[in-house]
Amino acid sequence: MIPEIGHFALILALALAACQAVLPMVGAQRNDTTMMSIARSAAYGQFLFIAISFGCLIYAFLHDDFSVLYVASHSQLALPTPYKVSAVWSAHEGSLLMWILILSIWTMAVAHFRGDRPQKLDARVLSVLGMLSVGFLLFALLTSNPFERLIPAALDGGDLNPLLQDPGLAIHPPILYVGYVGFSVAFAFAIAAMISGELDQNWARWTRPWTVIAWSFLTIGIALGSWWAYYELGWGGWWFWDAVENASFMPWLIGTALIHSLAVTESRGLFKSWTLLLAITAFSLSLLGTFLVRSGIIVSVHAFATDPTRGYFILTFLAIVVIGALILYAWRAPALDSSVGFGLLSRETFLLLNNVLLVVATTLVLLGTLAPLIVEMTSGGKISIGAPWFEVAFLVPMIPLVMLLGLGMHTAWRRQNTAPWQKLLRLPAIAAVVVGILLPLLFYGRVGLMLAVGTIAAVWIFFSSLIQPIRSWRRAPGNAGITRSALGMCIAHFGMGLFVLGATIVSAFGIESDRSLSIGESVEVAGLEFELRELRDVTGPNYSAIEGVIEVRRDGEFVTTMRPQKRQYLVQKSWMTEAGIYPRWNKDLFVALGDQLGGGAWSVRIQYKPMIRFIWIGAFVMAMGGLISVTDRRYRRRAIPEPAV
Amino acid sequence: MKPRQQRMLAIGLAALGVAIAAGLSLRAFEENMMFFVDVSDVVAGDYPDERTFRIGGLVVADSVEREEGSLDLRFRVTDMRCELEVSYVGVLPDLFREGQGVVAHGAMGADGVFVADKILAKHDEDYMAPEVAESMAKHVEDKTESLRAGQSECNPQ
């Protein structure tokens, strides 16, 4: 009964989404206020029904309703309750429903927080969001119904993939999706602007906070995925240039370009058509990511089970969205551009460079990700592009990007006088070079060219993003003379610096070593002694495990005891490595049990990862900066009540 | 700057960026492209010399050998027609098992043994890399044909 309600609610949501897609758009063309006002109610109603549907699916999981195929395939009686909930979005059907739910939450939020936006713009934006919702609801109902029954019902479920039984992975997809789907709002604003032919600085002010919020969530979502891969997959790496990682990273790169381009459009009324193009691209890349993950077209550790019809559906949807948007763009965008000038040394120039470099980086990642597909289609050969290529290709645009970042922050709009600019930045620049070279030399005893480039870049970002907050704090203690928007920018850039520092240090000084260990034996890695004291049997709620007790000593002095496990999950009988991690702010020790080598010995992977935490902390700080910037006063302006006609 | 100059600057920078990117990536692409080669082709000697490539197939049952207490490992991989000896030093992924699908990165050693530097097995028990599945499907057919023609099962041209 409950699953049928869920299914039915989804159909009702589709009907409402269709109303929301058509009526307000027609209303906006005809200047019909009644038709336009349907948009809001439809958005609320749609959310209600999708939430009911999602709730029904959660209910089915919590009550172990194995007469539902999706529940029977991805849950199990003994599964701990929190994982029964997160199992809802552990596979294609449920995660698609979650995608739809998040889209409806964004839609409702846009409908609710109206600010001082004109009704016509709202109607068009909500209509475009309605169209996207129609597409995804059709996708769910036609190809991936999560409520499909299994008759006769199974006695017990097939269990959740053990890799996904982990808190990090339970929250990674929802947060990532909030980011992914959030770009649909910027997309809808772009389409609405092109339809109306009106794009002014206010439009950018209305679009910007939504985009920044989406970007912040995407940042956290990607970081969580990276963190999870680090500790759960037992690999100890933090980024693998896997096709699906790239699929989430490309919208992030373009989204980053978009929020910078929006800044120019808001402050100066420039880069209008460019901003529109980025908004279209960011969302299209989100859809492309969905296509890559769910069609199984690309070999990836993340690939969902393959189903060609789903692939075709998303590909068609992607084609409609991209081609439709680009036709509209070609037709309407040229009329939008304004002709205001700016000096060669101006913030505009730096933001232009930022955009060019980010687009180049995205293009390279896209090229590397799609190359296996292109080669297979043209020559039939099966190739893969290794991580080393991505690392080199990606650094080429990134090094100038982070160096220019510090300069651009302190350059005025329109035109910057050279003398005061040089005076302001000379000292931080010199200090950055000195500290950047000394830092690795003092703490790690070695420095090299690429290493120094990384640390100098990081320190340079730290210094340049501190200038503004320190100055405003000195000028008016207590009463901060800095806008939230500027403060958010400084914090986000500081986070970027933390990230660069962590990534640089861990790639230069990280140590990985595969060793053989028997009980009582010890090995030395990174100046530390790792001794295998004992192997114990441990029983968990739905698994049994072998736990290695490894004592770590430095110069004979006890540091810590690490307990890596090798788990066997009882239902799927699969083995899982649960790494032992000793996290410190400035380094991680990481031990994973491998296999039994015979003669009582085990293979053990031991890793020393200096400053790896800075990577995820940096991403988190970036996202916080984004969220702080949207609390700026100018984004909270309310509409002045319109005089009655 | 005048709008016209701006546009020229933007186009110029974009073109420059794309040109550099294209140049660099094409150069590096060649070196980093890793081909997937069918086990039967490797056995027949048809594989890229002096560079790494990937192979894949099923780990032959009872073929895994290791010296007691050592990380050195040898096993055979089959595409259902021919078998190839693979050597590897290090920790194996969780889903590596006899009779299961596997992909290995590496290069051919002098003695006809594939020296793997990386072994991949997938997240999911039921999931098999499409290239491995395809390679095996193809060679099962070839094998049936060979057997029917009275030849030995592994005789790739």
Side-chain angles (χ1 to χ4, degrees):
Chain A
M1 181 62 191
I2 297 288
E4 276 67 36
I5 292 176
H7 190 189
F8 191 57
L10 214 53
I11 297 171
L12 287 177
L14 175 65
L16 278 172
C19 292
Q20 186 192 321
V22 178
L23 298 178
M25 188 63 87
V26 175
Q29 295 308 111
R30 290 192 188 163
N31 259 326
D32 182 333
T33 328
T34 323
M35 278 176 100
M36 284 195 274
S37 59
I38 289 171
R40 270 185 101 184
S41 331
Y44 290 134
Q46 207 200 128
F47 166 74
L48 177 72
F49 285 116
I50 292 170
I52 289 175
S53 183
F54 196 73
C56 290
L57 192 58
I58 292 181
Y59 180 92
F61 268 92
L62 287 177
H63 288 78
D64 301 311
D65 188 348
F66 298 130
S67 69
V68 176
L69 179 62
Y70 185 67
V71 181
S73 336
H74 299 103
S75 185
Q76 196 249 325
L77 288 170
L79 192 64
T81 309
Y83 294 132
K84 280 184 182 168
V85 177
S86 72
V88 170
W89 53 82
S90 68
H92 169 73
E93 289 88 341
S95 66
L96 180 64
L97 187 58
M98 192 174 69
W99 172 291
I100 293 168
L101 177 74
I102 290 170
L103 179 60
S104 77
I105 293 173
W106 275 104
T107 308
M108 193 175 62
V110 172
H112 182 76
F113 298 103
R114 290 165 78 178
D116 56 345
R117 290 195 301 264
Q119 190 186 17
K120 260 195 189 175
L121 176 65
D122 260 8
R124 289 192 172 113
V125 167
L126 291 174
S127 160
V128 175
L129 289 170
M131 291 176 200
L132 297 175
S133 188
V134 167
F136 278 103
L137 281 164
L138 278 176
F139 184 27
L141 288 165
L142 297 180
T143 72
S144 346
N145 177 12
F147 299 106
E148 202 173 272
R149 289 286 195 176
L150 174 67
I151 295 172
L155 288 176
D156 195 355
D159 206 2
L160 176 63
N161 183 341
L163 272 170
L164 307 183
Q165 298 184 24
D166 172 83
L169 206 78
I171 54 170
H172 158 65
I175 293 189
L176 190 71
Y177 281 14
V178 172
Y180 252 179
V181 182
F183 284 137
S184 65
V185 178
F187 175 80
F189 271 92
I191 299 289
M194 288 191 285
I195 291 174
S196 67
E198 290 161 25
L199 197 164
D200 53 11
Q201 281 158 269
N202 278 327
W203 176 87
R205 178 167 58 82
W206 294 317
T207 310
R208 212 172 151 192
W210 299 109
T211 314
V212 172
I213 294 171
W215 174 89
S216 300
F217 275 96
L218 189 59
T219 309
I220 297 179
I222 295 174
L224 279 173
S226 152
W227 181 52
W228 170 78
Y230 165 73
Y231 71 76
E232 184 70 18
L233 293 178
W235 299 336
W238 56 277
W239 194 260
F240 304 94
W241 298 104
D242 173 87
V244 174
E245 286 175 338
N246 295 348
S248 71
F249 191 44
M250 290 185 283
W252 187 87
L253 287 169
I254 288 295
T256 311
L258 174 62
I259 56 184
H260 288 89
S261 162
L262 270 169
V264 182
T265 310
E266 187 191 351
S267 305
R268 298 276 290 124
L270 284 169
F271 296 5
K272 284 181 185 171
S273 52
W274 177 242
T275 300
L276 290 174
L277 191 59
L278 288 177
I280 295 169
T281 313
F283 185 61
S284 304
L285 286 173
S286 296
L287 287 182
L288 180 73
T290 319
F291 169 67
L292 292 181
V293 183
R294 288 160 200 271
S295 64
I297 193 164
I298 274 184
V299 185
S300 156
V301 290
H302 292 71
F304 283 88
T306 319
D307 181 347
T309 46
R310 290 172 187 164
Y312 288 129
F313 192 102
I314 307 183
L315 199 58
T316 313
F317 188 61
L318 179 69
I320 293 171
V321 170
V322 174
I323 294 171
L326 288 180
I327 288 176
L328 192 61
Y329 178 77
W331 178 35
R332 303 298 296 240
L336 290 171
D337 248 336
S338 55
S339 44
V340 192
F342 58 86
L344 186 60
L345 183 61
S346 65
R347 189 175 281 195
E348 288 91 326
T349 306
F350 281 102
L351 288 171
L352 182 67
L353 286 168
N354 154 297
N355 271 240
V356 170
L357 291 168
L358 282 168
V359 169
V360 168
T362 315
T363 313
L364 288 172
V365 175
L366 184 67
L367 189 71
T369 310
L370 296 184
L373 270 182
I374 298 167
V375 171
E376 187 170 356
M377 277 190 289
T378 52
S379 71
K382 293 191 174 67
I383 62 151
S384 67
I385 302 295
W389 179 80
F390 281 102
E391 277 154 21
V392 173
F394 186 66
L395 278 179
V396 172
M398 277 305 125
I399 292 171
L401 183 81
V402 291
M403 294 298 184
L404 292 172
L405 180 157
L407 298 176
M409 283 174 85
H410 300 288
T411 311
W413 293 109
R414 271 172 234 270
R415 184 176 301 279
Q416 167 75 50
N417 285 333
T418 320
W421 189 68
Q422 284 179 342
K423 194 173 154 240
L424 176 72
L425 293 175
R426 190 177 296 138
L427 189 63
I430 293 168
V433 173
V434 174
V435 177
I437 292 173
L438 285 181
L439 194 105
L441 206 57
L442 289 182
F443 289 97
Y444 298 97
R446 176 163 67 80
V447 71
L449 179 66
M450 283 312 286
L451 173 60
V453 168
T455 46
I456 290 172
V459 178
W460 167 234
I461 298 174
F462 292 150
F463 288 164
S464 52
S465 47
L466 285 174
I467 294 176
Q468 221 182 331
I470 288 177
R471 282 178 130 199
S472 73
W473 174 70
R474 270 200 188 159
R475 203 180 307 138
N479 178 22
I482 186 169
T483 60
R484 291 277 184 88
S485 174
L487 181 65
M489 173 188 77
C490 291
I491 292 174
H493 284 163
F494 193 85
M496 180 75 196
L498 291 173
F499 169 83
V500 171
L501 186 63
T504 306
I505 296 290
V506 78
S507 52
F509 299 106
I511 295 172
E512 297 174 12
S513 178
D514 286 357
R515 297 298 183 88
S516 153
L517 268 182
S518 327
I519 293 177
E521 199 182 349
S522 66
V523 291
E524 201 196 294
V525 175
L528 293 158
E529 207 183 330
F530 294 80
E531 184 189 340
L532 182 63
R533 301 296 291 267
E534 57 170 323
L535 287 160
R536 314 188 304 148
D537 290 324
V538 179
T539 316
N542 56 350
Y543 61 84
S544 60
I546 299 165
E547 184 178 88
V549 180
I550 293 178
E551 195 177 286
V552 185
R553 287 184 302 263
R554 183 195 300 276
D555 304 328
E557 251 178 74
F558 176 83
V559 175
T560 183
T561 302
M562 303 178 73
R563 299 171 185 277
Q565 291 183 347
K566 199 86 184 170
R567 289 183 184 171
Q568 186 175 32
Y569 283 80
L570 303 174
V571 176
Q572 294 193 344
K573 297 282 172 218
S574 50
W575 286 92
M576 273 275 313
T577 300
E578 197 74 16
I581 297 177
Y582 176 65
R584 280 294 168 270
W585 71 271
N586 62 347
K587 64 159 188 282
D588 270 25
L589 300 179
F590 180 112
V591 176
L593 281 182
D595 336 87
Q596 242 165 319
L597 300 176
W602 279 73
S603 63
V604 179
R605 173 165 293 177
I606 299 174
Q607 309 194 47
Y608 163 75
K609 297 275 167 182
M611 297 187 100
I612 194 165
R613 306 260 136 194
F614 281 52
I615 290 171
W616 306 303
I617 293 170
F620 188 74
V621 172
M622 270 191 254
M624 286 307 116
L627 293 177
I628 287 169
S629 75
V630 300
T631 59
D632 197 272
R633 270 168 69 194
R634 68 180 188 280
Y635 298 127
R636 283 176 291 173
R637 229 175 269 172
R638 285 310 219 18
I640 306 151
E642 283 172 40
V645 183
Chain B
M1 244 192 282
K2 299 243 173 59
R4 205 186 145 76
Q5 286 171 301
Q6 267 174 44
R7 218 167 304 142
M8 298 304 284
L9 179 67
I11 293 169
L13 285 174
L16 187 71
V18 170
I20 293 175
L24 277 170
S25 54
L26 284 180
R27 225 179 62 115
F29 232 71
E30 277 275 78
E31 293 159 22
N32 280 286
M33 235 163 52
M34 248 207 250
F35 283 92
F36 180 89
V37 186
D38 289 350
V39 168
S40 298
D41 292 342
V42 179
V43 173
D46 184 10
Y47 56 83
D49 270 329
E50 290 170 9
R51 65 185 290 172
T52 56
F53 57 96
R54 290 175 301 144
I55 58 150
L58 292 186
V59 181
V60 177
D62 297 324
S63 73
V64 179
E65 282 171 38
R66 88 183 324 152
E67 222 174 283
E68 198 166 281
S70 137
L71 290 169
D72 299 5
L73 181 81
R74 270 176 185 244
F75 58 93
R76 289 197 307 278
V77 169
T78 175
D79 62 3
M80 307 310 278
R81 189 175 182 203
C82 297
E83 292 183 0
L84 177 65
E85 182 110 13
V86 178
S87 76
Y88 175 69
V89 181
V91 174
L92 290 166
D94 288 332
L95 287 178
F96 178 92
R97 223 161 306 151
E98 292 182 344
Q100 295 269 358
V102 71
V103 172
H105 289 194
M108 281 308 281
D111 50 352
V113 175
F114 184 80
V115 183
D117 52 35
K118 207 187 266 178
I119 302 274
L120 303 173
K122 292 291 165 181
H123 270 192
D124 193 332
E125 297 252 317
D126 309 322
Y127 182 81
M128 182 180 281
E131 45 200 20
V132 174
E134 217 173 280
S135 160
M136 291 201 307
K138 189 170 92 197
H139 290 290
V140 165
E141 273 173 35
D142 290 354
K143 175 178 158 184
T144 332
E145 257 171 48
S146 308
L147 290 176
R148 208 171 284 150
Q151 295 161 324
S152 70
E153 52 176 80
C154 179
N155 64 337
Q157 268 75 57

